[in-house]
Amino acid sequence: MEVHNGMSAVIVEETGFKGMWGSGLSISAAMGVRDCNEASWTQVLEVLEFISDRTSIPLLLDGDTGYGNFNNARRLVRKLE
């Protein structure tokens, strides 16, 4: 089930889903920006930290275009681990 912030993640987990999908479109929309890399990877990471702090089920993240290049994508993955 799709999540875009901590509250939606808690609802998904309490409903009984076994995993979550972090949609780039939904996270961007919740931040009030377009889904075209207007939200930086660090801003997305902050949202994911709230999701992670409140839930214990796995999250699959839509990494979009890698946030600019391979190096940014690699840094994001390291932070998510």
Side-chain angles (χ1 to χ4, degrees), residues 15-44:
T15 304
F17 286 92
K18 304 295 183 203
M20 302 175 282
W21 161 249
S23 164
L25 172 63
S26 296
I27 292 171
S28 295
M31 296 172 73
V33 298
R34 295 176 295 172
D35 185 27
C36 59
N37 286 332
E38 287 187 1
S40 70
W41 69 269
T42 56
Q43 290 172 307
V44 172

Side-chain angles (χ1 to χ4, degrees), residues 35-37 39-42 44 61-77:
D35 185 27
C36 59
N37 286 332
S40 70
W41 69 269
T42 56
V44 172
L61 173 66
D62 170 8
D64 274 341
T65 60
Y67 299 98
N69 59 43
F70 172 77
N71 292 322
N72 289 342
R74 181 174 52 186
R75 290 181 67 200
L76 175 63
V77 169

Side-chain angles (χ1 to χ4, degrees), residues 39-67:
S40 70
W41 69 269
T42 56
Q43 290 172 307
V44 172
L45 182 63
E46 184 176 344
V47 172
L48 298 174
E49 286 175 333
F50 282 105
I51 291 170
S52 176
D53 287 347
R54 294 296 317 230
T55 59
S56 60
I57 60 176
L59 170 69
L60 177 64
L61 173 66
D62 170 8
D64 274 341
T65 60
Y67 299 98

